[in-house]
Each structure stands twice: as structure tokens, then as C-alpha cells.
Amino acid sequence: MIPLVNPFMPPSDVLMPALEKILYSGYIATGQAVYDFEDQFKLYIGNPYCLALHSGTDALHLSFILAGIKPGDEVISTPMTAEPTNTAIAMVGGKIVWGDVNPNNGLLDPESVRGLITEKTKAIVLVHYAGMVCDMDAFNKLAQEYNIPIVEDAAHALGSKYAGSMIGNNSPYTIFSLQAIKHMTTIDGGFLCVKNEKALERARKLRWFGLDKRYSRLENDITEVGYKYSMNNVNATIGLVQMQYINEIISRYIENGKFYDNALSRIDGVTIVDYSPNTEASYWLYTMKVERREEFMKAMTSAGISASPLHHRSDTHSLFKESKRELPNMEQWYNSFVHIPCGWWVSKEERERIVEVIKRGW
Ligand SMILES: *Cc1c(COP(=O)(O)O)cnc(C)c1O
């Protein structure tokens, strides 16, 4: 069965010597390996204000703290995501207001969001679902017009671009996840990207009990509650080795995705998604709409190809019952979208076979 997700691990003759060295180095907690990994990640993104954390969820939590979300504040978000996007809003007591999605790509619809903004709205969360980028031209305008910060959940969008730059350069807060099944994994890990030194300094303290690790404990004064969200040297060492492969790996996702965009564009029962203007997807999952989805998935599975919607909408959880509302476009999208394998492990022969199987019909 060709899987939908598959962690890339560097070859063992490259990874294991580096891991062995750090494991027996006497310094496995947060240290130089983490700072070196941060430096490489900053270069990759093109943003000097990136902070390594233990997970993407930690990065989301810190984003909402930095954005100043207090209990009762409204945060506009999307149900079309993995759970942590929205549970992290609940961590700071934010009240979720569900925006509706664009029915042609499942991404938050700027016009729906505009209609939901009130005086209580303190942040807008955008999820670049499956590596497709939200309509940033429209959202940047909205953010400016109402002076509301955007948090970009780019857990699926490492290597995606907006206006020619990597995602991670645009909004006040962008988060990445390095969890097992994402484009790049350090087993667990995450990044928070901000836009200035001040936000970075505060986040750096928040990730380690409220202390600034660059100074001795005697020179430190804790001024607000911090957490244990730091990355350790072992995860960072895996990340440093992963950085040698990141361009090659992500370009495999993108090549396969573009191949499907082209090869699937005129097939009965298949609708290619709309990509937002001025953006480039990194195709963490290949996403499309199909007619008779159940039958489609069955046909694919019997040909040895995984196909599924993968994520469950977030607005059905009891935790969010007070936010429940009708989302007609989400309804339409949610019943017809599906993912097919697209990542680094899908060979040219396999992607052609996948297209042939779809062409045969279901
Ligand atoms: C994976 C994921 C996260 C959180 O990542 P962790 O590193 O597992 O904490 C957040 N948002 C989305 C959309 C994700 O898929």
C-alpha cells in the first residue's frame, strides 16, 4: 500500500554517527546543537527571528500568549485542520469563532472572516492546510484594516511560498511542526517565527520557565509564567542532519504535486483545487475533490493506494460546543475532498500508476 504519510529519515550512515556523538557528549539538553539548528532554519526560511521548540503545539500556545489573547477574547479560526490549532486557543481561554472555508480548496475564506470581526476579535488563525497557502493578499489587507494579528499555522506548509518568500516571513506569528509525519521531522519539534527581536526575546524566555538561558540563573529574574517548551540537543541533531536533505525532499513533494495538478486536470469526477494568488504550495498532501468519495477511496485502496480525507473537522468536539455554527461551504468541502499519496516516497512510476488508476474510473 502506498501510504499518505511517511517520515523521511536521513541515511543511517549519516544520521547515526551524529546521533551517537551527541548522545554520549555529556550535553543532551538545550545547547549548541539547538542554536546551530536554529541558525540553519533561519537561513532556510529567510527570517532571522525563529525559535526552536519541543513541538508545533508549543509554538501555537506561545503565539497566542504573545498575541495577548486573554480569556473571553475571540479568535477566528478554521475547523479544517488538525486538533492542536484549536486546542491551543483554548489553552489561553480564547473563544473560537469559526470562519467558513473556500469550497474550492478548504482554506479559510477572507470574506467569511471579515463578516465575523467584532471588537472582541484579537487574532485570526490561518491554516495552510496540506501545504496550500491561504489567500494572504486578502488576509494581509484585512489584518491591516482592523489591526488584528494573524497567526499562521504552517505545520503543513514548510517550503510553501507567498509573494516569492518562504512562509514564515509574513505575519507576526508563524508556527511549524517537526512532528513525525510532517515534511521534516526531528521526531518531535517545532518552530515559532516572529517579526522582531522583542517578540523573539519574550518567546525565548517563555520557552524555558521564564528564564533567559543566555544568562546565568543569578542574573535572571522571572517576570512572567514560562513553560518547558525548549528543544533538546538530540532532536536538534536530527534536525541538523535533516537540513542537509530538506531542499531535495521538499522538491519531491512539489514535483509530484505539480504532476498531479497537470495530469488530473481533465478527468471526469475530479476537481483540482484553487490555489490562492501569489502563493506556491509545498503539497504536504495532495488534495482534490472527487465525486462519490467512498467509491473512489475503495477503488484506490483495492489498487494498493491510500486515499482518505485524513483530518476530522475540529468544530464537532464538545470542548468547542459554544462556538458551533452553520458553515455551508465547509459542509460542501468536507464531504468531497480527498488526499492521495504525493510525498518524497512516491516515485515517478508510482505517480503515473496512480493517475492511471484514477483515469480508469470508480
Ligand atoms: C501537526 C500539527 C500541529 C502541531 O504539531 P505538533 O508538533 O505535533 O505539536 C499543529 N497544527 C497542525 C495543522 C498540524 O498538522
Side-chain angles (χ1 to χ4, degrees):
M1 186 75 86
I2 307 174
L4 272 184
V5 293
N6 191 5
F8 172 78
M9 272 299 146
S12 74
D13 61 334
V14 184
L15 179 59
M16 295 320 275
L19 259 184
E20 184 165 342
K21 192 164 163 224
I22 195 73
L23 283 170
Y24 297 98
S25 68
Y27 206 130
I28 53 181
T30 305
Q32 197 55 45
V34 173
Y35 310 137
D36 291 347
F37 181 36
E38 281 176 339
D39 286 342
Q40 294 216 8
F41 193 83
K42 289 173 195 174
L43 286 177
Y44 178 76
I45 298 293
N47 178 349
Y49 308 112
C50 301
L51 197 71
L53 298 166
H54 186 70
S55 76
T57 308
D58 299 348
L60 281 164
H61 186 199
L62 294 191
S63 296
F64 295 125
I65 294 172
L66 292 173
I69 309 302
K70 299 277 182 312
D73 287 347
E74 291 179 3
V75 177
I76 300 175
S77 183
T78 175
M80 192 59 235
T81 185
E83 290 76 4
T85 310
N86 293 309
T87 53
I89 299 172
M91 286 182 193
V92 294
K95 178 176 184 288
I96 295 170
V97 177
W98 300 116
D100 206 350
V101 302
N102 176 336
N104 302 318
N105 58 23
L107 302 174
L108 209 51
D109 170 19
E111 282 317 301
S112 164
V113 171
R114 176 184 289 277
L116 296 166
I117 293 174
T118 71
E119 287 195 337
K120 287 186 173 171
T121 310
K122 293 291 149 58
I124 298 168
V125 186
L126 301 179
V127 177
H128 302 312
Y129 182 78
M132 300 177 280
V133 180
C134 294
D135 185 351
M136 295 315 305
D137 283 347
F139 280 112
N140 283 342
K141 252 191 232 153
L142 214 57
Q144 241 178 356
E145 198 178 321
Y146 292 93
N147 195 25
I148 296 172
I150 287 177
V151 176
E152 289 180 51
D153 181 338
H156 300 176
L158 188 62
S160 292
K161 290 183 179 173
Y162 167 61
S165 302
M166 289 287 186
I167 292 298
N169 285 285
N170 179 63
S171 298
Y173 315 103
T174 303
I175 77 96
F176 292 96
S177 167
L178 308 174
Q179 184 265 346
I181 63 171
K182 305 295 161 68
H183 283 104
M184 172 168 84
T185 183
T186 56
I187 315 307
D188 264 317
F191 265 97
L192 170 63
C193 303
V194 294
K195 295 283 280 181
N196 56 60
E197 190 62 39
K198 198 165 159 246
L200 187 74
E201 290 275 312
R202 187 167 167 217
R204 188 183 280 125
K205 286 181 153 194
L206 288 171
R207 84 168 161 185
W208 205 56
F209 314 119
L211 294 162
D212 191 330
K213 215 173 166 64
R214 293 172 305 174
Y215 307 105
S216 83
R217 277 187 150 91
L218 288 175
E219 293 169 295
N220 255 294
D221 176 34
I222 294 178
T223 54
E224 70 175 320
V225 176
Y227 300 85
K228 176 66 189 297
Y229 283 173
S230 42
M231 180 178 275
N232 64 55
N233 274 355
V234 181
N235 294 121
T237 296
I238 297 172
L240 275 166
V241 179
Q242 290 280 27
M243 290 306 291
Q244 297 172 30
Y245 298 88
I246 187 169
N247 284 319
E248 182 191 332
I249 292 304
I250 290 187
S251 64
R252 299 268 293 276
Y253 284 82
I254 294 174
E255 246 183 62
N256 284 338
K258 288 188 167 165
F259 172 82
Y260 289 136
D261 280 340
N262 189 40
L264 299 174
S265 64
R266 280 177 302 276
I267 295 181
D268 271 354
V270 173
T271 310
I272 301 293
V273 297
D274 286 347
Y275 297 98
S276 309
N278 225 356
T279 69
E280 293 167 52
S282 63
Y283 299 90
W284 179 57
L285 298 162
Y286 190 77
T287 312
M288 60 192 189
K289 293 212 288 185
V290 291
E291 286 169 15
R292 291 170 285 108
R293 182 171 63 186
E294 284 306 311
E295 288 87 338
F296 176 87
M297 293 193 295
K298 252 187 234 150
M300 297 298 277
T301 310
S302 60
I305 301 157
S306 305
S308 94
L310 204 70
H311 290 96
H312 188 272
R313 61 191 290 173
S314 290
D315 57 346
T316 54
H317 293 290
S318 300
L319 180 66
F320 306 131
K321 63 178 179 293
E322 279 165 25
S323 298
K324 193 82 189 146
R325 69 184 203 92
E326 296 286 313
L327 301 168
N329 288 344
M330 178 66 189
E331 212 64 50
Q332 194 188 326
W333 167 258
Y334 194 66
N335 292 321
S336 59
F337 84 99
V338 74
H339 300 300
I340 56 171
C342 174
W344 60 270
W345 58 96
V346 179
S347 68
K348 284 185 175 152
E349 295 73 37
E350 283 174 322
R351 73 190 189 193
E352 284 188 18
R353 185 169 77 81
I354 291 171
V355 169
E356 283 316 307
V357 171
I358 295 173
K359 276 185 176 160
R360 262 190 260 142
W362 59 95

